[in-house]
Amino acid sequence: MKGLKIKNLYNGLFVLGLLMITGCNIQGETTTISIDSIDAKEVLTLDTEADIFQYDGIIYKTNIDWLNELSLTKNVQIGEIKTKNNTNTDFKDEMSNKLPIGTKIFSTKERGDILIVEIEGKITKYLAIVEG
């Protein structure tokens, strides 16, 4: 009887040890969520009059009601529109379908998914269009 209690104690400690090791390993793991960007073709298919540009592989779009209501601070210049494409949907970085070449692109202090462009003193906000 005494040998059975010791055997059960060892088995219990063994299982407890395995649970602790497994529990510690789970805490160290991280889950990665991928957000894919939408290309110009998808955006322009949904809205043929969309005002967009591409920066760092992401399409940015303006004329979104709630976006215009945000109070954002222009930060540093991160780029400028280098080419214009109003004939097809094959976009490259720093390319726009409506903004003039030379338009400066700025980050915002408050949000990483919104960029600002400034043309002749007028500021326009653009939202990154991504699918989650």
Side-chain angles (χ1 to χ4, degrees):
M1 191 75 162
K2 187 175 181 180
L4 185 59
K5 286 184 180 182
I6 291 174
K7 187 176 180 182
N8 286 342
L9 178 62
Y10 283 125
N11 286 339
L13 288 174
F14 178 76
V15 170
L16 182 61
L18 285 176
L19 289 174
M20 288 179 62
I21 291 170
T22 305
C24 291
N25 285 339
I26 291 173
Q27 288 177 348
E29 293 180 14
T30 58
T31 303
T32 303
I33 297 173
S34 158
I35 298 177
D36 296 324
S37 60
I38 296 174
D39 63 15
K41 182 177 182 177
E42 290 177 271
V43 173
L44 293 171
T45 298
L46 295 171
D47 180 3
T48 57
E49 296 301 312
D51 180 352
I52 62 173
F53 70 86
Q54 182 171 312
Y55 178 79
D56 200 20
I58 297 174
I59 296 294
Y60 288 82
K61 181 180 180 215
T62 193
N63 296 325
I64 300 170
D65 292 334
W66 64 266
L67 181 61
N68 295 327
E69 297 171 12
L70 294 178
S71 178
L72 300 171
T73 309
K74 179 174 76 170
N75 200 10
V76 297
Q77 181 179 341
I78 57 171
E80 70 178 60
I81 300 301
K82 293 184 179 170
T83 54
K84 192 168 180 178
N85 181 353
N86 53 8
T87 58
N88 64 50
T89 58
D90 184 25
F91 272 57
K92 294 179 179 26
D93 283 347
E94 297 181 325
M95 179 181 284
S96 171
N97 66 337
K98 303 214 181 218
L99 295 169
I101 293 172
T103 300
K104 295 182 182 354
I105 304 168
F106 297 88
S107 62
T108 62
K109 289 183 179 181
E110 296 81 5
R111 294 188 53 159
D113 62 340
I114 298 174
L115 298 179
I116 290 176
V117 301
E118 186 172 3
I119 306 170
E120 299 174 359
K122 183 182 179 226
I123 289 180
T124 306
K125 300 167 193 160
Y126 284 76
L127 176 67
I129 305 300
V130 294
E131 58 188 5

